[in-house]
Amino acid sequence: MAGVDVTVEVCGMAGDGTIAAGGLINEAMSAGGLSVLGFDSYPAEIRGFGRCVTRSRIGDEEILALGDETHVLISLNDEQSISRVPVLAKDSAVLFDSNPPIYVQEEKSLAAEVDPETMLFGMPFGDLATSAAGTARGRNLAALGGFAAVCGVPPDLFHLVITAKFKSKGEKVVDANLKSFDAGYAYAKERFADCLKTMFSGPGRAEGPEKVMLSGNLAIGKAALDAGLRLYYGYPITPATPIMEYLAKQLPERGGAVVQMEDEIASIGAVLGASFAGARSMTATSGPGFALMTELITHGVMAEIPAVILNAQRGGPSTGLPTKTEQSDLHAAVFGGPGDSGRIVIAPTNVAECYLFTVKSFQLAEKYQTPVVVLTDFFLDNRVENLPVPEASEQDIAFGNVFPDDSVKGSYIRYLDTETGISPRALPGMEGFAFSATGLEHTERGTPDYSPDNHMKMSDKRHRKIRSALRDLPMPEEFSRGGDLDVGVIGWGSTFGSVLEAVNTARSRGLNVGALKITSIFPYHADMIGEFMGRCARVLIPELNYSGQLANLISHLRGNDVVRLNLATGTPFPPSLILSKIEELLKAGA
């Protein structure tokens, strides 16, 4: 299996079973011990029309990003799959339905569009499924059987994952799907015996620690449960809805509750109320919903109330592109709302960090008595990776609140101006620790006070508290040989995987480049970021937004002398584009 790096796509119309087929490929290849990164693209409209595409990049080394080219295309619908022809690699393989449910004119077929070097494998998917199982519903399974035979994947891996996926529906359903798969496998094995490809060289059963396929959203939901979440308040919105759906099934079994609110304003209000009372609570939304929350988020800043908010970014502005990815909510997450309302913003770069940072966000919110925004995006939320089962330690999930000392019982000052800005926080009902909480500017005791000196003093306290959070926030991580660099690339969020792949490729060619990963968006580690920038002849910051929002935030650390590489395409950042820009900068510098 050495040297495996293959991208497999399944493309069809909504209702063809495209997403299910892609999921089974991911599970089977993970069971075979390979690294997998999968991502589904689907229309925002109701089921029944629209293109669905699953992309699975599979390798024997850790997969950091989606690839630029597709090596195997499984077409469940010719018309929709023609759109994928431009990304096919040379010597790619295309499996298509030679007897599709709807007649396709030859000149409009997928086979007529592909490059002559492409290997074509026509199979009657529906006929094979009907003959084997009595129904054409398994045509996507027949297609997977053909894929396994053509590309050298042992059928027992698919048998394993098909059985696991459908066992809850009963033995008949499992049997029908296995028969459809086996029919496709047998047909391809016999019909294409002379032109089978060995892309995977027969991966076997995985050894070592158990790995699971997790999406970013499921990792976030699992992390919230493991962190002791008690209450989830939310309103459905793409791409954050799967978090609420997962918690609605799991949280009640642990004594908690999920409440669907009438809108996002009510959601954040309920989270603040529950957190004020000492219960771990959270909400998840996307850009339009986050915009509605901003007034109450700043109430949490002023009243110093913990809150955990997951903002799953999508294309904007307004309702924008609901099922496309973007990194354009950074400004909103950091600055959104009236007044100087600093809050903590952290941004994971992969599925493992989605889990880690969600667990951490509850402690941060409690200790620093402020809203914490976990900033993800559609690509990160919706993609899947196979990774060891994530677990949180007792230290990770420990309550983070700083309680007042018993010595101040009866004379408790809620907003005491301390050296760190963190005031000991009592919970409602604690005897001898009565206090006032308000969204108005207030004194240390919580009494409204609009005087200039007091507003300056309390503003400084709140910002000092946020700055002090740096000690608990993840530091930037550098990937280089150290020393001075010709080009340094800074990345955040889901784009960092593409940054690291591009930099690793450049370094393998002997180029003096490095990468810096930033996950603490605000407050950020200015000293470390500035030191990295100072060692770089050129600094490149790629982002999935039009204006370069991270660059806007940190470029002053280098006197604004940074190179921006901005895309607003709604699709994940291609590593090849970053690599090309690195080479361009090096050539210009030389």
Side-chain angles (χ1 to χ4, degrees), residues 90-114:
K90 288 186 177 181
D91 300 323
S92 57
V94 173
L95 286 78
F96 66 97
D97 198 332
S98 58
N99 188 21
I102 300 175
Y103 174 73
V104 179
Q105 295 180 0
E106 183 176 350
E107 64 272 15
K108 295 183 178 180
S109 69
L110 175 62
E113 296 289 335
V114 300

Side-chain angles (χ1 to χ4, degrees), residues 177-256:
N177 283 288
L178 288 174
K179 286 180 177 178
S180 295
F181 171 86
D182 288 341
Y185 185 87
Y187 180 94
K189 197 78 171 175
E190 178 181 353
R191 184 68 175 267
F192 308 120
D194 295 334
C195 51
L196 299 178
K197 302 173 77 71
T198 55
M199 291 183 172
F200 299 103
S201 303
R205 295 288 180 90
E207 298 180 358
E210 179 190 1
K211 288 190 174 183
V212 293
M213 296 298 309
L214 275 184
S215 67
N217 274 336
L218 289 186
I220 290 162
K222 184 181 186 315
L225 289 176
D226 292 351
L229 180 71
R230 300 295 297 165
L231 295 162
Y232 179 95
Y233 301 97
Y235 187 79
I237 186 170
T238 301
T241 302
I243 298 171
M244 183 163 65
E245 293 174 337
Y246 173 80
L247 291 173
K249 297 176 182 178
Q250 303 291 332
L251 190 54
E253 296 180 1
R254 303 197 184 193

Side-chain angles (χ1 to χ4, degrees), residues 73 78-88 92 94 96 104-118 120:
L73 172 61
D78 271 28
E79 181 182 2
Q80 300 301 327
S81 297
I82 287 172
S83 67
R84 309 308 302 161
V85 170
V87 299
L88 288 176
S92 57
V94 173
F96 66 97
V104 179
Q105 295 180 0
E106 183 176 350
E107 64 272 15
K108 295 183 178 180
S109 69
L110 175 62
E113 296 289 335
V114 300
D115 189 279
E117 296 179 358
T118 300
L120 291 170

Side-chain angles (χ1 to χ4, degrees), residues 292-309:
L292 294 174
M293 293 181 180
T294 52
E295 180 183 359
L296 279 172
I297 290 174
T298 62
H299 177 81
V301 171
M302 177 64 89
E304 302 195 38
I305 302 172
V308 173
I309 305 149

Side-chain angles (χ1 to χ4, degrees), residues 28 49 78 129 165 181 201 230 254 271 273 286 334 356 368 371 389 406 452 493 499 564:
F49 59 95
D78 271 28
K165 180 175 178 61
F181 171 86
S201 303
R230 300 295 297 165
R254 303 197 184 193
V271 167
S286 191
V334 174
L356 176 66
Y368 294 97
V389 180
D406 284 342
V499 168
R564 300 163 187 252

Side-chain angles (χ1 to χ4, degrees), residues 237-239 286 288 312-316 318-319 321-322 324-326 328 378:
I237 186 170
T238 301
S286 191
Q313 301 168 98
R314 66 191 203 184
S318 186
T319 46
L321 294 80
K324 301 299 180 182
T325 197
E326 205 161 273
S328 53
F378 184 89

